[in-house]
Amino acid sequence: MKLCIALDNPNKEDNLKLAKEIKEYSKDIWLKIGFRSFIRDSKEFIFELRNIGYNIFLDLKLYDIPNTMADAAEEIAKLDVNMFNVHASSGKRAMIEVMKRLSKFEKRPLVLAVTALTSFSNEEFKKIYGEDIEKKAIEFAKDAYEAGLDGVVCSVWESLKIKENTSKDFLTLTPGIRPFGESAGDQKRVANIQEAKKNLVDFIVVGRPIYKAKKPKEIVEKILKEI
Ligand code: C5P
């Protein structure tokens, strides 16, 4: 299991400070660049972090028509990030198109599909997607698997079922991790590290419990130890 830290600080300086502070663990840690950082600091920020030695997950959750998604995927691959994601609800045809477009790259990033956002309660999810989270997340995961993606973004609580219904090698990346009982914030389906391990999660994503901590490095070390 790998630790992926969400760099969602309100400014670039704090994100860089954190990345430099835990540089000695860069080989074991992935950094997640999401909307906030990417919109504000653009691709140069990716290059800066990569130069420190980190693996980069670009969390832009693509959702559009198939051709536009494939165009975006191609541009992302040119940035040489290690992983990015799309929404599974954009459909199997769009995901196939993305993978087809990436096939021309000798070394392409891993591609994950978001199943159900970890901030959704079952009720909220059902209102939008018409099914319970577990059932739909498995359906989405199967679509992504059949489209040739590398894995999915889901909560810890769907990870095992998704692997059982696809392959044990199909990656699961789970946000909503609260390692030491921290506040859930807007997340609804949270879990700790032991629970993630039991559910065979490949990547845990931790944001606020690290970047909002008084001593982020200590939290990172505690997490790495538990992993
Ligand atoms: O601060 P926290 O640990 O809740 O951060 C979780 C991170 O994972 C955020 O950057 C959020 O955008 C992202 N994420 C998520 N749920 C998903 C996909 C991504 O929370 N399904």
Side-chain angles (χ1 to χ4, degrees):
M1 193 163 80
K2 293 242 179 276
L3 168 65
C4 181
I5 303 178
L7 287 185
D8 294 334
N9 266 308
N11 60 72
K12 182 180 172 181
E13 292 65 40
D14 285 348
N15 282 334
L16 266 180
K17 191 172 153 231
L18 174 60
K20 284 178 184 161
E21 203 182 323
I22 54 172
K23 188 177 159 183
E24 61 195 281
Y25 307 113
S26 64
K27 290 283 158 276
D28 301 318
I29 292 177
W30 287 56
L31 295 181
K32 182 174 92 61
I33 302 180
F35 288 148
R36 187 170 203 172
S37 295
F38 190 70
I39 290 168
R40 188 188 54 224
D41 306 322
S42 66
K43 60 184 181 188
E44 283 69 33
F45 186 50
I46 296 177
F47 304 151
E48 274 179 81
L49 294 173
R50 215 195 15 236
N51 286 342
I52 302 177
Y54 289 103
N55 285 300
I56 306 295
F57 168 31
L58 188 57
D59 179 19
L60 296 183
K61 302 186 183 70
L62 306 183
Y63 182 102
D64 213 308
I65 59 171
N67 184 62
T68 304
M69 284 186 42
D71 287 347
E74 181 174 348
E75 296 307 327
I76 289 173
K78 286 182 197 160
L79 297 178
D80 204 19
V81 297
N82 308 88
M83 182 156 72
F84 75 96
N85 56 1
V86 303
H87 270 287
S89 55
S90 61
K92 198 168 171 183
R93 192 155 56 86
M95 291 192 278
I96 289 173
E97 205 61 43
V98 164
M99 298 316 287
K100 222 195 265 168
R101 187 72 70 85
L102 292 177
S103 64
K104 66 178 173 193
F105 290 89
E106 210 169 288
K107 194 179 134 249
R108 68 158 176 83
L110 294 170
V111 188
L112 305 182
V114 178
T115 56
L117 296 173
T118 39
S119 55
F120 276 139
S121 67
N122 195 50
E123 224 167 82
E124 288 169 321
F125 183 85
K126 214 168 164 176
K127 214 168 163 192
I128 301 168
Y129 296 95
E131 308 238 38
D132 288 324
I133 287 180
E134 193 181 293
K135 182 163 182 263
K136 195 71 197 171
I138 291 170
E139 259 176 58
F140 277 150
K142 279 185 178 168
D143 283 349
Y145 181 65
E146 285 162 15
L149 274 73
D150 303 289
V152 287
V153 182
C154 59
S155 90
V156 165
W157 309 110
E158 292 101 46
S159 171
L160 207 54
K161 280 256 161 61
I162 284 174
K163 284 182 184 268
E164 282 166 9
N165 280 275
T166 55
S167 151
K168 67 173 184 4
D169 300 324
F170 194 54
L171 303 171
T172 57
L173 174 141
T174 64
I177 300 294
R178 294 298 177 262
F180 310 111
E182 298 88 343
S183 135
D186 57 346
Q187 299 283 22
K188 289 275 163 61
R189 290 161 19 258
V190 299
N192 62 32
I193 298 171
Q194 292 311 322
E195 289 162 335
K197 263 192 197 170
K198 269 189 222 142
N199 286 281
L200 305 183
V201 166
D202 298 285
F203 292 89
I204 53 168
V205 177
V206 187
R208 285 162 288 186
I210 292 175
Y211 72 78
K212 285 200 179 229
K214 282 206 181 81
K215 294 181 175 166
K217 190 175 177 185
E218 279 181 19
I219 304 287
V220 168
E221 286 170 343
K222 261 173 86 179
I223 294 174
L224 289 176
K225 217 170 175 185
E226 209 175 320
I227 283 179

